[in-house]
Amino acid sequence: MSQSPLMLPRRHFLALGGVAAGAALVGAAPASANSDVSDDRMTLPGYAFTLGVASGDPLPDGVVLWTRLAPDPLALDGLGGMPDRAVNVRWEVAEDETFRRVVRRGVERATAAWAHSVHVEVHGLRPDRVYWYRFRVAGQVSPVGRTRTAPRPGAALRSLTFAFASCQAYTDGYFTAYEHMAREDLDLVVHLGDYIYEGGGAGSIGRPHLPAVETFSLTDYRIRYSQYKLDPALQAAHRTAPWVVAPDDHDVENNWAGDHSQPDTEPDQDPAVFRLRRAAAYQAYYENLPLRRSSMPRGPEMQVYRRLTFGDLLQLDVLDTRRFRDQQLTDQSLRWDPNRQMLGAEQEAWLLAGLGASTARWNVLGNQVFAMEADHTGGAAETFGMDTWDGYAAARQRLFDGLAHRNVDNFLVITGDAHRSVAADLKLDFSDPASRTVGTEFLGTAISSGGNGQDMDALGVTWLAENPHMKFHNSQRGYQVCHLGHGEMRTDYRVVPFVNAPGAPVTTRASVYVQSGRPGVAHVSA
């Protein structure tokens, strides 16, 4: 969704070139041994773990544990009040919340080059088990986090439950949905992008962005992430389950595509300048989220797409729908150009090969922008958004044809970005309602972006009238919980009535069911 762009002041341009490029070079180099500071000898100006703890990307034998040291999280230099040297951070993993049965412990070096973020890749744990973890530094102890390892590939599972979410504009609303998500019994949380918003707006509810300008430099992005991660509801959701994350556009800039910035952000028109901005955004994203070293950015490049498996129930393919796509069209008549890419040839081949070889009951795509066709105009005329898969219709057709050719069963797509919820059949030919259904898409609403929302709006009425493959629509705020079983899966659309003030209750607006072996929406229970 668009925000009003701000022009790039000279100070941002200079900072972008110096900080982002410098961090890409310096961050890859190890800190010198004499820069180490023992955690029991150093003194910090405040509590080190203000930004909380998190875990992510679970494997059968371990997870990633994350924290970032920031005793002064909103410090103007973006470094969180930490000294310009490496710090040793101790970590522990236990089988119980009181840490009487510690099973793994170690020390991880946090460096100034990466904003004293910590990414511990723990191994040697047992599959499909709940664990607790914590960190220590300077005589301080972090909050305790709860995580869970993945089941072994092929292990027989009765059920698996995960939530997915996206789009949490700080200025638009409170993150109340995360308070409720933290109370769910979840094996996993999937975040599909727009973890932050890059604009400098103040909003109207007393939650203005910091810094009060659009983010361009690494310092800007670091401060913005600190502001978001100070939110207690977001911290609570991170503490209770492992997360799998992928960026979308606002994590860098609205509607960016490949090496192309948003068309109306004039100073970013030079791809070389935009790559510097993307390098800064990617680095801050990595610094603030529980990602493996395989996703550590190298300048403007970052490995986002990846595959995780959970027993015999779930194969989760996480996509990157920004880095390899062609620039958005201004003429929708060209959307069927067969040369246009959404995923890029390498990612597209990786995805289809993996789906063709999958033995999981449910094959789920973690996807940033919706894949279904969505005609926005009533009557005979047709209007499609160019930022979604509709702007890359030939690429979508290649994907769906590939699914059909490989007989991929129980194909599900979970999606964010649109600030509304839709459950839809994915058709081999959207122009023919009788065409083969190849899967089901669950478009999920925003955590807060767009403000309070409503049960139905004008666009929702049009969508349901013009797109017969859409079976449910809602435009309130919230998150989604997916319950996977062998015979069927159910997605609960969990909504809050308002986000412009704290304290909203949560309800299940609808539950949407898919039967195993029968693609498409089976029924909707409101």
Side-chain angles (χ1 to χ4, degrees), residues 179-241:
E179 293 180 19
H180 298 292
M181 183 189 289
R183 300 186 186 106
E184 305 268 6
D185 185 13
L186 301 173
D187 298 305
L188 186 72
V189 175
V190 182
H191 195 282
L192 296 169
D194 295 348
Y195 193 94
I196 64 162
Y197 276 66
E198 83 289 5
S204 60
I205 62 170
R207 283 163 65 93
H209 266 151
L210 295 175
V213 295
E214 185 164 345
T215 53
F216 289 94
S217 71
L218 179 55
T219 298
D220 291 341
Y221 282 105
R222 283 171 167 169
I223 295 171
R224 184 64 53 83
Y225 273 99
S226 292
Q227 179 183 37
Y228 275 57
K229 295 191 76 68
L230 283 169
D231 188 280
L234 179 57
Q235 288 193 21
H238 271 298
R239 283 197 307 270
T240 56

Side-chain angles (χ1 to χ4, degrees), residues 19-327:
V19 177
L25 296 173
V26 176
S32 61
N34 60 14
S35 65
D36 288 347
V37 178
S38 174
D39 65 353
D40 58 3
R41 288 192 292 110
M42 71 179 302
T43 300
L44 295 177
Y47 185 55
F49 302 104
T50 57
L51 304 181
V53 299
S55 66
D57 276 18
L59 298 176
D61 73 332
V63 296
V64 180
L65 306 180
W66 172 92
T67 193
R68 181 181 154 213
L69 309 180
D72 183 8
L74 299 177
L76 295 180
D77 62 1
L79 295 178
M82 289 296 294
D84 187 16
R85 54 191 176 185
V87 175
N88 286 329
V89 181
R90 305 180 191 277
W91 56 269
E92 294 178 306
V93 177
E95 293 180 331
D96 66 305
E97 198 169 1
T98 62
F99 287 81
R100 293 179 179 176
R101 300 190 303 277
V102 174
V103 294
R104 289 290 182 273
R105 57 165 50 97
V107 177
E108 192 78 7
R109 176 184 288 180
T111 67
W114 292 91
H116 291 96
S117 60
V118 178
H119 299 76
V120 182
E121 297 191 23
V122 184
H123 297 285
L125 303 180
R126 293 187 289 178
D128 199 16
R129 297 297 178 101
V130 171
Y131 291 94
W132 285 262
Y133 61 94
R134 65 187 178 187
F135 301 89
R136 295 177 183 270
V137 72
Q140 301 176 5
V141 183
S142 75
V144 173
R146 177 186 181 275
T147 191
R148 189 178 191 120
T149 54
R152 289 191 181 94
L157 302 181
R158 294 181 59 186
S159 62
L160 187 144
T161 302
F162 69 89
F164 70 95
S166 65
C167 302
Q168 51 202 50
Y170 190 87
T171 57
D172 285 2
Y174 288 85
F175 296 169
T176 312
Y178 280 134
E179 293 180 19
H180 298 292
M181 183 189 289
R183 300 186 186 106
E184 305 268 6
D185 185 13
L186 301 173
D187 298 305
L188 186 72
V189 175
V190 182
H191 195 282
L192 296 169
D194 295 348
Y195 193 94
I196 64 162
Y197 276 66
E198 83 289 5
S204 60
I205 62 170
R207 283 163 65 93
H209 266 151
L210 295 175
V213 295
E214 185 164 345
T215 53
F216 289 94
S217 71
L218 179 55
T219 298
D220 291 341
Y221 282 105
R222 283 171 167 169
I223 295 171
R224 184 64 53 83
Y225 273 99
S226 292
Q227 179 183 37
Y228 275 57
K229 295 191 76 68
L230 283 169
D231 188 280
L234 179 57
Q235 288 193 21
H238 271 298
R239 283 197 307 270
T240 56
W243 284 41
V244 175
V245 301
D248 194 20
D249 55 340
H250 288 289
D251 301 294
V252 180
E253 181 201 32
N254 183 45
N255 285 352
W256 69 277
D259 286 337
H260 300 281
S261 66
Q262 181 173 253
D264 55 359
T265 307
E266 187 64 32
D268 276 359
Q269 287 300 294
D270 182 350
V273 174
F274 178 68
R275 283 193 291 271
L276 289 175
R277 183 180 186 181
R278 192 173 73 226
Y282 275 176
Q283 176 160 343
Y285 186 84
Y286 177 82
E287 289 172 348
N288 285 281
L289 287 163
L291 289 158
R292 295 185 177 276
R293 281 185 289 274
S294 57
S295 292
M296 178 183 284
R298 294 189 171 46
E301 304 302 329
M302 179 177 179
Q303 184 63 42
V304 171
Y305 68 86
R306 58 204 189 277
R307 176 171 295 127
L308 297 97
T309 58
F310 298 83
D312 63 348
L313 272 186
L314 171 62
Q315 176 173 299
L316 174 63
D317 289 320
V318 181
L319 295 188
D320 183 344
T321 60
R322 287 289 164 190
R323 175 65 190 91
F324 307 106
R325 64 159 70 187
D326 287 312
Q327 194 168 13

Side-chain angles (χ1 to χ4, degrees), residues 439-507:
T440 313
E441 181 165 26
F442 296 99
L443 172 61
T445 188
I447 290 290
S448 62
S449 303
N452 289 340
Q454 55 189 305
D455 187 66
M456 181 62 69
D457 60 9
L459 180 59
V461 171
T462 299
W463 273 14
L464 290 177
E466 296 298 316
N467 304 280
H469 49 280
M470 296 185 185
K471 309 301 182 183
F472 166 75
H473 175 276
N474 173 271
S475 62
Q476 292 171 291
R477 303 294 158 248
Y479 59 96
Q480 299 67 230
V481 180
C482 299
H483 306 268
L484 304 184
H486 276 268
E488 70 176 11
M489 69 84 62
R490 180 184 90 240
T491 296
D492 295 333
Y493 281 95
R494 305 277 280 159
V495 301
V496 294
F498 57 87
V499 294
N500 63 336
V506 69
T507 58

